[in-house]
Amino acid sequence: MDITERFLNYVKFDTQSSEDSQSVPSTSKQLIFAKFLKEELEREGFADVEMDEKGYIYATLKANIAKKVPTIGFISHYDTSPDCSGKDVKPRIVSAYDGGDIVLSEGIVSSPTKFPELLQHKGEDLIVTDGTTLLGADDKAGIAEIVQAMCYLRDHDEIPHGDIRMGFNPDEEIGMGAHHFDVEKFGCEWGYTIDGGDLGELEYENFNAAGARIYIKGVSVHPGYAKGKMINANRLAAEFATMLPASETPEATEGYEGFYHLTGMESCTENARLNYIIRDHDREKFEDRKRFMQKCVDQMNARYGEGTVRAEIKDQYYNMKEKIDPQMHVIDIVLKAMQACGVPPRVSPIRGGTDGAQLSFRGLPCPNIFAGGVNFHGPYEFVSIQVMEKAMQTIVKICELTAGFND
């Protein structure tokens, strides 16, 4: 089976996760794919194949050398984003893309005018959607690349490697993928998530992240007799939102710049709630952002009465750079592997998070490597077959280089 067939088999499954669920995994349909993947790994002859009750899958490609070398692992998630349907995905291969518009379906066109990144893949074979669902390259491309790489190593015994672990998990798209990942069972000195974007992406910096909820308690009285009595929670919610700098929002920032992002708001005269996420690559600035938000709460309470406004701020994850910097050999091996495979590295900070960030703080240094998908989470998502093959080759070379790590 080649990598294209493997990937196309995977995207047939609807594995959309749900932010509204309290179960693990968040949707039962994820377990249908997990069972399929587990059985495929068993058919391919890998060792230690197991799936726990939460849908986390682990497997091993056993070493083919006697020398003691580090055990490393590769990780991908199999859920797809809640932002767009993943049901009845109908992929199509655009052979030798000519650089023009791609008609996905009637009235739905993927154009390099809107998506200039298409032009970087002129001449390549692209897998696209029919314009009604996402594709699922995030992150079924990563799974296909890992499994294909392990099959290649299995079939090419001349390439030396130590024990290589595979890990596949649900619910990454809702920020829960690493929560139940068994790092101890995985048993690796370090790992790599294959969950990045286009060719050559290598990421080992990400946002520090927190979630915040602002609760506002108003006082509702008849508006005709409200003077000196009413506290309109609607108006206070709007006032609070304007206290945070408009220049520090997602739509106004890039690169290493952090932000406050209002993700939702519910309000009436009597009560209001604002939901925020807080992001910054710099840990000190991240802490300053949380303090500033609390300062805004305190100022409003001073103005409208103690207890009128209340904040709940909870950290979500931290910048993995803090854990990767002391072990830069983990990055050096990837850079050498990319060079050997003819892949130009594109090292950049993630303006988001990754399972690898949480895993790094749980003792498994885990940077993120490209999987090839572009325009994630929507109907214009696509992946290049040639880039998937390059990702697979990079994984193989990482395993080979790690076998010589202590030389």
Side-chain angles (χ1 to χ4, degrees):
M1 185 185 302
D2 66 15
I3 196 167
T4 303
E5 181 181 358
R6 200 177 296 278
F7 174 71
L8 293 177
N9 283 342
Y10 293 166
V11 300
K12 293 175 184 176
F13 291 84
D14 179 8
T15 56
Q16 189 180 49
S17 49
S18 172
E19 294 176 300
D20 299 325
S21 171
Q22 300 301 313
S23 64
V24 181
S26 62
T27 54
S28 60
K29 58 191 174 183
Q30 291 184 72
L31 291 175
I32 298 172
F33 176 74
K35 184 174 183 292
F36 170 87
L37 181 58
K38 173 182 179 287
E39 291 173 352
E40 180 177 271
L41 296 171
E42 290 170 337
R43 286 195 304 272
E44 295 289 6
F46 297 118
D48 309 324
V49 179
E50 60 178 303
M51 182 178 82
D52 67 21
E53 71 280 359
K54 293 181 172 64
Y56 288 70
I57 302 169
Y58 308 94
T60 307
L61 174 67
K62 289 293 188 181
N64 64 356
I65 55 176
K67 183 180 71 168
K68 176 69 173 173
V69 299
T71 298
I72 64 170
F74 296 90
I75 300 165
S76 289
H77 66 90
Y78 54 76
D79 67 312
T80 59
S81 171
D83 294 344
C84 183
S85 173
K87 181 177 171 55
D88 297 326
V89 173
K90 297 178 178 65
R92 173 167 63 93
I93 298 175
V94 178
S95 299
Y97 170 59
D98 63 6
D101 289 354
I102 302 173
V103 178
L104 303 178
S105 59
E106 186 175 353
I108 303 176
V109 179
S110 185
S111 171
T113 303
K114 186 173 183 180
F115 304 109
E117 53 270 28
L118 278 163
L119 296 176
Q120 298 174 23
H121 299 282
K122 191 174 179 179
E124 298 175 10
D125 303 314
L126 308 185
I127 304 176
V128 300
T129 76
D130 70 347
T132 64
T133 69
L134 49 67
L135 178 62
D138 181 14
D139 191 25
K140 288 168 184 166
I143 300 173
E145 290 151 8
I146 293 170
V147 175
Q148 198 71 20
M150 295 305 106
C151 289
Y152 186 89
L153 286 169
R154 177 201 63 198
D155 297 339
H156 290 77
D157 204 46
E158 73 277 9
I159 302 174
H161 61 83
D163 283 347
I164 310 296
R165 293 281 278 159
M166 292 170 271
F168 305 111
N169 59 269
D171 290 342
E172 187 271 351
E173 296 291 0
I174 60 171
M176 300 296 292
H179 281 47
H180 302 282
F181 194 97
D182 194 330
V183 171
E184 185 176 352
K185 178 187 290 184
F186 201 49
C188 295
E189 293 191 33
W190 68 84
Y192 302 96
T193 50
I194 309 300
D195 191 22
D198 213 344
L199 181 70
E201 282 192 8
L202 171 60
E203 300 157 326
Y204 62 95
E205 299 180 65
N206 60 276
F207 278 138
N208 297 289
R213 288 189 174 185
I214 307 300
Y215 297 93
I216 300 175
K217 184 174 176 58
V219 176
S220 179
V221 296
H222 190 289
Y225 307 93
K227 185 174 182 179
K229 301 173 185 176
M230 177 184 286
I231 298 177
N232 188 340
N234 294 299
R235 190 177 62 77
L236 268 61
E239 181 179 340
F240 183 89
T242 63
M243 294 176 75
L244 302 178
S247 61
E248 297 178 22
T249 60
E251 58 268 39
T253 54
E254 62 184 354
Y256 284 96
E257 296 170 332
F259 57 74
Y260 305 92
H261 178 36
L262 178 61
T263 61
M265 180 166 55
E266 297 177 5
S267 70
C268 62
T269 302
E270 200 164 48
N271 293 288
R273 188 185 77 190
L274 299 90
N275 297 335
Y276 283 91
I277 59 173
I278 303 169
R279 300 290 189 263
D280 210 295
H281 281 91
D282 184 282
R283 185 65 176 267
E284 187 174 337
K285 291 180 180 177
F286 172 65
E287 298 298 334
D288 286 343
R289 288 186 182 280
K290 292 187 291 181
R291 284 191 286 265
F292 179 75
M293 184 169 278
Q294 183 60 55
K295 182 180 178 182
C296 291
V297 169
D298 295 341
Q299 288 176 349
M300 291 198 72
N301 282 330
R303 193 174 305 143
Y304 296 106
E306 192 63 37
T308 302
V309 184
R310 175 172 61 89
E312 288 182 0
I313 303 174
K314 295 182 179 179
D315 288 358
Q316 296 169 320
Y317 53 82
Y318 303 109
N319 190 345
M320 74 169 89
K321 187 176 189 294
E322 181 181 327
K323 298 298 182 181
I324 300 295
D325 274 351
Q327 304 191 60
M328 282 301 289
H329 60 273
V330 174
I331 301 300
D332 294 339
I333 287 172
V334 181
L335 294 173
K336 290 177 183 176
M338 287 185 178
Q339 183 179 21
C341 295
V343 175
R346 297 166 55 203
V347 182
S348 61
I350 310 172
R351 285 185 61 80
T354 168
D355 281 346
Q358 296 182 49
L359 294 171
S360 293
F361 279 87
R362 292 177 56 201
L364 180 68
C366 201
N368 194 38
I369 300 174
F370 72 98
V374 183
N375 296 336
F376 295 153
H377 298 187
Y380 298 99
E381 183 182 9
F382 71 89
V383 66
S384 161
I385 292 173
Q386 285 77 12
V387 174
M388 285 201 297
E389 289 170 343
K390 283 293 186 182
M392 184 272 285
Q393 294 164 14
T394 301
I395 294 168
V396 168
K397 184 57 69 171
I398 289 170
C399 296
E400 181 180 359
L401 291 172
T402 303
F405 175 68
N406 292 323
D407 289 349

